[in-house]
Amino acid sequence: MKSVVGVVVSNKMQKSVVVAVDRMFHNKLYNRYVKRTSKFMAHDENNQCNIGDRVKLDPSRPLSKRKNWVVAEILKKARIYTPPSVDTAANASVKNEAPPSSTS
């Protein structure tokens, strides 16, 4: 087998990730390209992968019943959303209030 590239869809396990790998093939009957997705479990020794990361997988000996791949490298880290903290949200609401008008 050769190396494949995919996107991490789950990292809830210890030292394991689930990676979705897309492949395209040509359907001769309909003369169209078809996209198929395969999900592989892979070994992540240092728990470095997060959901959305683009990773390269290398084949390995069977590590468990479903785990036959090892994360070779993280090609691109995902941008992780961090909600604004309570302090910055409070300051933003204070700034948006209009000052009292001095018209009498």
Side-chain angles (χ1 to χ4, degrees):
M1 290 188 288
K2 63 179 187 176
S3 300
V4 294
V5 175
V7 178
V8 176
V9 293
S10 174
N11 66 344
K12 294 186 177 184
M13 299 161 283
Q14 296 175 2
K15 296 189 177 185
S16 299
V17 290
V18 178
V19 180
V21 176
D22 292 332
R23 61 185 174 91
M24 298 277 286
F25 65 92
H26 186 259
N27 188 313
K28 293 181 182 177
L29 178 65
Y30 296 115
N31 197 22
R32 296 283 186 268
Y33 282 94
V34 184
K35 183 168 105 174
R36 290 281 184 260
T37 302
S38 302
K39 292 199 316 189
F40 299 118
M41 285 184 61
H43 185 67
D44 179 20
E45 182 62 40
N46 300 322
N47 284 329
Q48 294 177 334
C49 295
N50 286 318
I51 295 175
D53 289 352
R54 191 160 188 81
V55 295
K56 179 182 174 186
L57 302 180
D58 283 341
S60 73
R61 64 180 178 83
L63 299 170
S64 68
K65 182 178 179 181
R66 295 186 53 217
K67 199 158 66 165
N68 297 318
W69 298 87
V70 174
V71 175
E73 62 178 310
I74 300 174
L75 301 174
K76 183 178 180 185
K77 296 291 278 184
R79 293 178 52 199
I80 300 173
Y81 173 74
T82 54
S85 65
V86 177
D87 296 335
T88 57
N91 291 337
S93 65
V94 170
K95 290 179 184 176
N96 290 339
E97 292 179 3
S101 61
S102 61
T103 58
S104 301

